[in-house]
Amino acid sequence: MSDPNAFSPYAFDADRYWSDDHPVLELVRARRAEGSAPGARTDGFKLGLAVEGGGMRGVTSGAMLVALDDLGLRPVFDAVYATSSGSINAAYFLAGGDSWYPLTIYFDDLCTPEFADVRRMLAGRPALNLDYAFDEVLEHRKPLDFERILKSPIDLHVVISEVDTLTATAPHEFASRDDLKSALKASCWMPVAVPGTGVFRGRRAIDGGVLTAHPHLAALADGCTHVLSLSTKPIKPPPTRLSPGRRYSVAYLERLRKGLGRGYADSQFRYREQRRLLQRWMTDPGDGPQVLDLAPLPWMREVANQSRSRDALVTAAREAHAVMAAAIQGVPVQELRDGSFRSVPRITTVRTADGRRIG
């Protein structure tokens, strides 16, 4: 059996995690320089943006999207593919406006007992309150402009796991704001933390990550020639076996629908090899699919998917923003490690409807 660490020697090299001239980075930079716009491309390529979620870990991909926006790169993409909380991040990204502001949902609105509280599971209630997230936060506290997303020239593919057919889908043509909202909520329906299933277009549906371990797969399946992939777990050798928590999820999903747990386990095992490829392609893209998977670096702490630590969330956002900014601008990784290159999140202060100030 091969050494599980041998596939990724660069993952322990402080100076080289990705190639500065990676084809994905070169295409992103070229389109920005040309002022290329969706629907009017001249290069013949299809550039996808894949956005991973994972509950509160989504603060990481959310901050990477903020960096792309800060660098004026929103128009360079042809389509966006997202799962779980990554789909919310992607929706805000495509809605336009100042993307730092909606990122604060993680710091101000979701790291509270109103949204996340594992003690509720003892009473048979969801640990994550999706009704609060979608009907309070996205509608009133940090309103998401659904109409702008529906009109966007950049398609949003929301990856969903359909329970009864045991299939993964990535719809992108939405009939209304309610249709889109339903897709986003279904993609965020995290097993165990949110009991039962959501519903999308009359069918039982749950978190897209159950049957599609990473949204870059949806981008490749849709014909993207280049994919900028945003991962929320740090770069490191993938686990060789399912954790106890994931094994519990397998059993839980199998009770929801026979075969669903097995489908989830198979997806996770396949992703071990997929992550190996993603990490190898960062420095050795080869002639195959051009995918660059940016993620927190090995020394950066992973955010728990139900974290309520504001400090941990702000730190993760700052580090992820710096990773993306460094990759686009060709900043050596060593400057990230030694702290000579860093991102400072903006501080936003707003007054809520009940008169409280948050920031």
Side-chain angles (χ1 to χ4, degrees):
M1 181 177 295
S2 61
D3 180 355
N5 294 329
F7 77 98
S8 181
Y10 61 86
F12 306 98
D13 179 349
D15 298 317
R16 191 168 184 260
Y17 289 86
W18 57 79
S19 296
D20 288 339
D21 60 351
H22 193 285
V24 171
L25 292 175
E26 290 193 328
L27 180 58
V28 167
R29 294 164 184 155
R31 285 187 170 183
R32 178 176 60 179
E34 295 167 2
S36 177
R41 309 292 189 199
T42 60
D43 52 40
F45 300 120
K46 183 175 182 179
L47 175 59
L49 178 62
V51 187
E52 187 179 31
M56 298 299 285
R57 264 200 342 265
V59 71
T60 298
S61 57
M64 290 183 180
L65 291 173
V66 170
L68 290 173
D69 188 34
D70 286 346
L71 293 167
L73 295 171
R74 189 166 13 209
V76 306
F77 299 100
D78 298 303
V80 181
Y81 307 81
T83 57
S84 190
S85 55
S87 65
I88 303 302
N89 297 337
Y92 276 118
F93 180 70
L94 292 181
D98 184 348
S99 53
W100 273 106
Y101 179 62
L103 180 66
T104 64
I105 66 173
Y106 290 98
F107 319 139
D108 295 332
D109 307 299
L110 300 185
C111 64
T112 66
E114 290 175 284
F115 176 64
D117 191 343
V118 295
R119 294 172 299 181
R120 286 197 292 260
M121 297 179 70
L122 299 176
R125 295 185 294 136
L128 300 181
N129 187 346
L130 292 186
D131 289 339
Y132 162 76
F134 280 85
D135 298 334
E136 175 63 24
V137 178
L138 270 65
E139 292 285 359
H140 303 293
R141 297 194 179 193
K142 307 284 168 60
L144 176 60
D145 193 336
F146 290 94
E147 297 302 325
R148 289 196 66 177
I149 302 167
L150 295 173
K151 295 175 182 176
S152 173
I154 304 173
D155 287 336
L156 173 60
H157 297 248
V158 181
V159 183
I160 295 169
S161 298
E162 293 195 2
V163 172
D164 295 310
T165 60
L166 300 179
T167 57
T169 62
H172 68 281
E173 295 179 337
F174 301 101
S176 66
R177 76 184 308 278
D178 288 340
D179 191 35
L180 172 57
K181 184 178 179 181
S182 175
L184 295 172
K185 189 171 184 178
S187 188
C188 292
W189 204 281
M190 185 180 293
V192 182
V194 188
T197 71
V199 178
F200 177 64
R201 295 177 181 171
R203 299 187 293 273
R204 293 198 299 165
I206 55 175
D207 193 325
V210 169
L211 297 178
T212 301
H214 197 285
H216 85 278
L217 298 170
L220 294 177
D222 194 45
C224 288
T225 60
H226 296 66
V227 181
L228 180 59
S229 169
L230 314 185
S231 289
T232 59
K233 295 181 180 179
I235 296 172
K236 57 186 177 182
T240 58
R241 64 189 68 181
L242 291 177
S243 67
R246 291 190 184 278
R247 290 199 296 271
Y248 179 82
S249 295
V250 169
Y252 171 83
L253 290 167
E254 198 67 16
R255 292 195 297 272
L256 273 183
R257 165 71 162 89
K258 186 175 178 59
L260 186 61
R262 290 198 304 272
Y264 170 65
D266 289 345
S267 176
Q268 292 297 310
F269 284 126
R270 286 195 302 270
Y271 184 57
R272 288 188 305 172
E273 298 307 315
Q274 291 158 2
R275 190 73 193 262
R276 291 171 187 265
L277 282 174
L278 286 174
Q279 293 185 14
R280 191 177 75 215
W281 286 340
M282 290 171 73
T283 55
D284 181 21
D287 298 324
Q290 301 299 327
V291 181
L292 177 65
D293 183 57
L294 295 178
L297 297 172
W299 64 85
M300 296 176 178
R301 186 174 179 179
E302 181 179 341
V303 174
N305 60 18
Q306 296 180 37
S307 175
R308 281 173 40 190
S309 169
R310 183 176 281 103
D311 288 344
L313 293 166
V314 171
T315 297
R318 176 179 56 79
E319 292 176 337
H321 186 279
V323 167
M324 177 60 72
I328 298 297
Q329 298 177 103
V331 175
V333 171
Q334 182 58 39
E335 294 188 19
L336 288 169
R337 184 188 285 273
D338 65 23
S340 57
F341 180 83
R342 62 179 65 187
S343 294
V344 180
R346 302 180 200 171
I347 303 299
T348 302
T349 301
V350 297
R351 190 177 295 278
T352 64
D354 60 4
R356 293 181 298 115
R357 278 192 312 210
I358 54 177

